[in-house]
Amino acid sequence: MAGRRWWAAVGVATTAMASSMLSLYAVSALAPSLVDDLGLSRTRVGELVTATFAVAAVLSLVAGHLVDVTGARRGLAVLSAAVTAALAGASFAGSYAALLAVLALAGIGQALANPATNVLLARTVPPARRALAIGLKQSGVQLSAFAAGLALPAVAHTIGWRAALRCAAIVPIILLVLVWRTVDADSRSVSGQQAAGRARPAGTARGSWWRWSRPSTWLAWLMAYSALLGTALAAVNTYLPLYASQRLGLGGWAAGAALAAFGLSGLFGRITWTRWADRMPEATMLLGSLSAAAAGSALLVWLAAPVWPALVWLGAAGIGGTATGANAVSMLAVVRRGGATGHASGLVSLGFFSGFVLGPTVFGLLADSFGYGWAWLWVMLVFAASAVTGSFITGKAELRPAAVS
């Protein structure tokens, strides 16, 4: 898949990223329907997301290395199968426990998404085009949010939330067809080709798994930043439509439109900020500023939207265009850094997904116990903490020559 075909790789990677997060945005967009039909509390809505990303966080410890060794094609195929099973299974779930269990399967796809797509693009996209390619493929996540927020509430209103989930399952099936037709069978990273057939990674002593997986100082800071960013983003992703419905009094379509605004702005933000970051000596130089802008947008949702509900769309667009762009910039930094791309992507995803485990649960507990105001204040403070953490990353990239030690 070389030359003119690198665009095909970008298309596959974008569809993969959209598919990997579709279960999250489906739960978010359909949350008002789930609350009404199943009688769920806000905390229980958050637990649906927490279960998924708990699986993703644990699997991220090994998913990147597996993709390095087995190739992007296999990783993307497993991603597609897991998300299809999660969405289709959730549509038939007869209880909350069953819904929780089947949605957790989507965590397999989420763990594989960034390693598999980063390895695919590192192999197929010319270096001069990689910033654009990373921005485009990361925008798939926001495309998923836009489509889910705009379409799924309308589908649920017409034929029910279960049918809406079955419609969403079409997307990962399309991904599987694209992977089968366009991705080369041998799509391993360079380090994966070198490690293939060995009992353990090169330079690793028997029983010394931590020595192999231990991140460099630069990567450890990036993981910490991603954990904070993911914590705040997960809360926004999960509860934005429910907040718009319950606290601001917006109807189902208007509440879903808040998620769509978040997704649309993030789509353009990821492309814009990755291209901007690629012109800088270190891509991570943008991270602190983007998180600070997200904190300001969360302040708008917290204080201004209850007075003028239409401002929730502006605040959502602000968070989408900045915080999600920061996640894309972090992935660009990993790809530019080189080395074991899949493994480094997996470790950064571990940090990000760990935040997704914490964020929805804490937001739900705060909203149920003290009201939405305290929950949004917490989101703003976490974004601010990520801005401070982001300022420590730049300048540490030269401490080690590779992304992982």
Side-chain angles (χ1 to χ4, degrees):
M1 188 184 288
R4 62 183 179 85
R5 296 186 64 196
W6 70 268
W7 277 102
V10 174
V12 171
T14 303
T15 307
M17 295 303 296
S19 298
S20 71
M21 297 293 278
L22 192 52
S23 62
L24 163 64
Y25 293 125
V27 169
S28 178
L30 298 173
S33 298
L34 294 173
V35 168
D36 291 341
D37 190 39
L38 302 179
L40 303 182
S41 67
R42 287 170 288 200
T43 301
R44 286 214 150 184
V45 171
E47 288 171 353
L48 294 174
V49 177
T50 295
T52 300
F53 284 95
V55 173
V58 171
L59 293 182
S60 291
L61 289 167
V62 297
H65 179 66
L66 290 176
V67 170
D68 277 332
V69 174
T70 64
R73 189 185 195 191
R74 289 184 178 86
L76 292 170
V78 174
L79 182 161
S80 173
V83 177
T84 301
L87 291 170
S91 74
F92 291 101
S95 65
Y96 176 77
L99 186 64
L100 194 71
V102 294
L103 283 176
L105 291 174
I108 300 171
Q110 289 156 357
L112 290 166
N114 274 310
T117 55
N118 285 350
V119 167
L120 177 63
L121 297 186
R123 277 184 53 87
T124 58
V125 178
R129 300 289 187 179
R130 282 181 188 164
L132 173 61
I134 293 293
L136 287 171
K137 75 100 173 173
Q138 292 293 132
S139 73
V141 174
Q142 303 313 117
L143 182 62
S144 181
F146 174 72
L150 207 59
L152 293 185
V155 175
H157 179 74
T158 305
I159 55 178
W161 63 268
R162 295 180 185 275
L165 287 174
R166 291 165 199 156
C167 291
I170 295 172
V171 177
I173 294 174
I174 293 173
L175 170 64
L176 185 60
V177 174
L178 291 175
V179 170
W180 184 263
R181 293 181 61 87
T182 64
V183 180
D184 295 338
D186 185 8
S187 51
R188 294 169 291 175
S189 70
V190 174
S191 64
Q193 292 172 341
Q194 295 171 346
R198 299 177 186 173
R200 56 188 182 270
T204 305
R206 186 179 301 274
S208 184
W209 181 87
W210 172 244
R211 287 184 57 195
W212 159 57
S213 63
R214 177 169 53 92
S216 66
T217 303
W218 174 81
L219 191 60
W221 276 106
L222 191 57
M223 290 172 66
Y225 172 84
S226 296
L228 290 167
L229 184 73
T231 298
L233 261 179
V236 175
N237 288 337
T238 305
Y239 288 102
L240 188 59
L242 195 61
Y243 169 71
S245 174
Q246 292 185 338
R247 177 66 178 85
L248 306 182
L250 300 182
W253 184 88
L259 183 63
F262 169 88
L264 186 62
S265 66
L267 191 153
F268 290 105
R270 289 190 172 212
I271 297 171
T272 300
W273 293 122
T274 50
R275 297 190 72 179
W276 189 285
D278 197 45
R279 300 188 184 103
M280 296 181 169
E282 294 182 38
T284 53
M285 293 173 69
L286 274 178
L287 295 181
S289 298
L290 290 174
S291 286
S297 297
L299 178 65
L300 185 66
V301 175
W302 169 38
L303 292 181
V307 178
W308 190 12
L311 287 177
V312 72
W313 297 322
L314 181 60
I319 296 172
T322 55
T324 63
N327 177 241
V329 169
S330 70
M331 286 300 159
L332 171 64
V334 168
V335 173
R336 279 178 54 173
R337 178 90 161 141
T341 303
H343 183 52
S345 300
L347 290 178
V348 174
S349 295
L350 169 62
F352 193 62
F353 293 152
S354 297
F356 268 68
V357 172
L358 180 65
T361 299
V362 174
F363 189 101
L365 288 171
L366 288 173
D368 281 337
S369 302
F370 305 107
Y372 275 114
W374 284 98
W376 279 105
L377 171 62
W378 175 75
V379 168
M380 185 194 70
L381 292 175
V382 175
F383 273 134
S386 73
V388 174
T389 304
S391 67
F392 287 97
I393 300 174
T394 301
K396 292 183 169 57
E398 291 79 23
L399 291 179
R400 294 189 184 181
V404 288
S405 56

